[in-house]
């Protein structure tokens, strides 16, 4: 459980690697009165991540880190997070795996969104694997991050039905619409709201 500090919003950082559509929905949510979080920092491993543009538009600080030397970089990230008094991390399309040590420093305070009904289809290329297996349903999951990939405690899931002529792209579109609704709901849930 992430503790709310009463009237003040808990400062959160969002980690991204690409488009940032979940980031966009989280920013929108964070500006609402009933949101227990504010988004104070955007972190990316990819200098070309489209989502970084959202930082400028919304006046949110952004930092890009080159993950070649993961240990060193994670220590740098930890000090940036400390400097900005970040108490919660939302991974939103962040395609790097954080170390056990990093996760331990934010135990129970890191959330991730994954485009499948976990524990099914952990990892990459989710939608294609779902279709290859002729699944009837797919969906998305928000979960706490632990040291095993896509395996932490599930907070919320949303199911979507797979249509007859579903393609990887059509399924991705269907799922991501639900992701944008699910992530804010899951955050509220972690605050018991
Ligand atoms: C989302 O579908 C998210 O669930 C997925 O990447 C996409 C990012 O889109 N994350 C993963 O696959 C993590 N394993 P976005 O940049 O538009 O939010």
């Amino acid at each position: 459980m992430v503790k709310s500090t009463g009237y003040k919003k808990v400062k959160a950082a969002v980690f991204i690697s690409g488009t940032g559509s979940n980031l966009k929905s989280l920013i929108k949510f964070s500006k609402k009165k009933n949101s227990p979080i504010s988004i104070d920092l955007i972190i990316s491993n990819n200098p070309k991540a489209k989502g970084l543009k959202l930082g400028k538009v919304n006046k949110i600080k952004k930092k890009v880190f080159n993950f070649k030397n993961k240990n060193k970089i994670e220590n740098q990230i930890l000090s940036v997070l400390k400097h900005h008094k970040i108490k919660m991390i939302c991974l939103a399309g962040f395609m790097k795996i954080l170390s056990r040590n990093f996760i331990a420093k934010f135990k129970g305070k890191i959330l991730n969104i994954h485009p499948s009904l976990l524990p099914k289809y952990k990892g990459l290329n989710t939608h294609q694997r779902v279709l290859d297996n002729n699944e009837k349903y797919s969906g998305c999951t928000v979960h706490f991050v632990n040291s095993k990939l896509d395996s932490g405690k599930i907070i919320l899931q949303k199911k979507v039905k797979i249509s007859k002529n579903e393609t990887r792209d059509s399924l991705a579109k269907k799922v991501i619409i639900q992701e944008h609704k699910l992530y804010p709901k899951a955050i509220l849930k972690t605050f018991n709201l």
Side-chain angles (χ1 to χ4, degrees):
M1 201 70 60
V2 188
K3 270 199 186 142
S4 163
T5 53
Y7 66 97
K8 261 196 186 164
K9 291 191 178 188
V10 168
K11 291 181 192 290
V14 181
F15 286 31
I16 61 164
S17 299
T19 313
S21 70
N22 275 291
L23 168 63
K24 193 174 175 188
S25 99
L26 289 178
I27 293 173
K28 193 173 167 205
F29 165 68
S30 72
K31 290 179 177 171
K32 289 187 177 166
K33 226 179 168 185
N34 74 333
S35 165
I37 64 161
S38 62
I39 293 170
D40 292 78
L41 190 62
I42 299 165
I43 286 186
S44 181
N45 62 305
N46 174 12
K48 292 190 180 140
K50 260 197 191 166
L52 284 169
K53 290 190 183 137
L54 291 164
K56 201 170 184 187
V57 184
N58 293 281
K59 299 195 178 71
I60 300 171
K61 285 225 166 68
K62 49 191 192 323
K63 296 248 177 213
V64 177
F65 293 91
N66 179 338
F67 266 68
K68 257 187 193 153
N69 181 344
K70 192 155 111 174
N71 280 345
K72 195 174 136 199
I73 289 312
E74 284 191 343
N75 284 330
Q76 286 179 13
I77 295 178
L78 284 169
S79 51
V80 171
L81 294 173
K82 198 171 175 188
H83 178 77
H84 289 276
K85 300 189 168 62
I86 300 294
K87 301 282 186 262
M88 183 177 184
I89 296 172
C90 299
L91 307 182
F94 184 64
M95 296 308 189
K96 291 284 173 190
I97 296 172
L98 296 166
S99 73
R100 188 183 283 269
N101 174 55
F102 184 97
I103 294 164
K105 297 260 164 53
F106 271 82
K107 201 165 177 263
K109 308 273 167 56
I110 311 179
L111 272 55
N112 181 41
I113 188 152
H114 184 76
S116 80
L117 294 172
L118 292 173
K120 284 178 135 184
Y121 304 102
K122 297 172 184 174
L124 297 175
N125 202 18
T126 325
H127 303 307
Q128 191 58 54
R129 288 186 288 134
V130 165
L131 294 176
D132 290 347
N133 283 343
N134 293 317
E135 295 281 3
K136 287 198 172 69
Y137 294 92
S138 189
C140 46
T141 305
V142 178
H143 64 95
F144 286 109
V145 171
N146 66 11
S147 57
K148 281 193 194 151
L149 182 70
D150 299 328
S151 298
K153 189 171 178 253
I154 291 171
I155 302 164
L156 276 182
Q157 289 188 308
K158 177 73 186 178
K159 229 178 180 185
V160 304
K161 201 172 188 310
I162 294 174
S163 319
K164 236 186 172 184
N165 298 314
E166 202 78 79
T167 64
R168 195 185 60 184
D169 287 353
S170 67
L171 180 57
K173 273 188 195 152
K174 215 185 239 182
V175 170
I176 210 153
I177 289 170
Q178 297 307 324
E179 290 186 38
H180 299 159
K181 296 180 190 165
L182 193 71
Y183 217 155
K185 277 189 192 160
I187 290 171
L188 286 169
K189 194 174 172 202
T190 67
F191 284 88
N192 267 344
L193 293 170

